Amino acid sequence: MSQTTAVYASFRSIGAYVPEKILSNADLEKMVDTTDEWILKRTGISERHIAGENEVTSDMGAKACEKAIERSGIAKEEIDLVLCATVTPDYFNMPSTACIISDKLGIRDVQAFDISAACSGFVYLLSVAKAFIESGMKKNVLIVGAEKFSSIVDYTDRSTCILFGDGAGAAMICATDKKEEGFIDLHASADGSYSDFLVTPAPGTVNPVSQRVIDEGLNFVQMKGNETFKLAVKTLTKDVKEILAKNEINSEDIPHFIPHQANYRIIKAVGDALKMNKEQVVLTVGKYGNTSAASIPMAINDIWESGRLQNGELMLLDTFGGGLTWASALLPFAGKAVEK
Ligand code: UT7
């Protein structure tokens, strides 16, 4: 009987792109009936970054990917799968944003496709990359969460326009035979019976492009904010508690808890339920807002660039979003720390 060596998926590098233009709470005060005080108190957000008019999702995604590739030490020619998570693709039908990003990076003749899991997109991508690598089908998987959320936000709707921002975050996920470098656990789930909690009604087969779509603003994101908030706190807390218990890891042994950055109050409630201190919980929502599939990799990039994320340190990821979808992951950072 032939013996094969076990292969594990490892998180090798991180990169992100943040567009230049800032939309502050003061700017929003001039656009809708809101105040800096209300936004800060209810969400923890001070500002968010907005892509340029001609800057599209794949532009931001490709820039994040360039950094992740360079920091991984893997040559572009060695990448054998490109995956993008986005709900604001360059084109709603085809081609996929992953195909366009691959082209912008000069990666040719390699499988590339998008997934749609809203804010849970990046952790969903980790599960896909893990499956491809651990089955032996691929070795070096480039994953990217990229969103131009401003393209589906109605800037006359104060309940949503204060929340979202644009950006991208990417990572290289690579095969390794070292078990200690591999993902420890990952859990991803969904419940479509809550699909009306977060929805962009058009364009799609339910509401193809028409004058009615434009007149009724069906191309903009709609959210049942308060209901989503309550379910997010409950689900995220349950999910992280379960993954920690299953792997017999105490929350105090997690140096980096990196939750989806939707609302400071959600993050605080989950962090408190886990009895985590401020140093453990990564917070970027204040400066980026909610960037959907890009939020977790942008947050990981922040702690990497500031030198907080070191080789071998454990990351606990936890996310929740439209679908509804949710996911959590427990994994070590298997790349090099930032060179200072
Ligand atoms: O990324 C995917 C997951 N997304 C989330 O998890 C987002 C979850 N939801 C939230 O973050 C919060 O629900 C919001 C920040 C969107 C809203 O906060 P809330 O504490 O749930 O407020 P609410 O929707 O219950 O509204 C309270 C009041 C309402 O006024 P009345 O009816 O009490 O008079 C709203 O009209 O606040 C009003 N309001 C605002 N006031 C000033 C809503 N938006 C604004 C605003 N400025 N921007």
Side-chain angles (χ1 to χ4, degrees), residues 187-242:
H187 171 254
S189 197
D191 186 345
S193 66
Y194 294 108
S195 55
D196 61 334
F197 274 34
L198 252 164
V199 58
T200 313
T205 52
V206 174
N207 293 299
V209 175
S210 66
Q211 192 55 47
R212 186 179 70 88
V213 162
I214 309 294
D215 293 344
E216 295 179 15
L218 299 179
N219 52 313
F220 295 124
V221 65
Q222 298 174 359
M223 180 170 68
K224 292 187 177 172
N226 200 262
E227 290 92 327
T228 309
F229 182 97
K230 287 182 198 148
L231 207 56
V233 173
K234 206 170 109 192
T235 310
L236 288 170
T237 307
K238 182 170 173 284
D239 217 31
V240 275
K241 279 189 172 169
E242 276 176 9

Side-chain angles (χ1 to χ4, degrees), residues 79 107 124 131 171 174 177-178 199 246 270 306 332:
I79 294 170
I107 296 174
Y124 264 54
C174 304
D177 55 6
K178 298 188 183 78
V199 58
K246 191 176 151 211
V270 180
S306 68

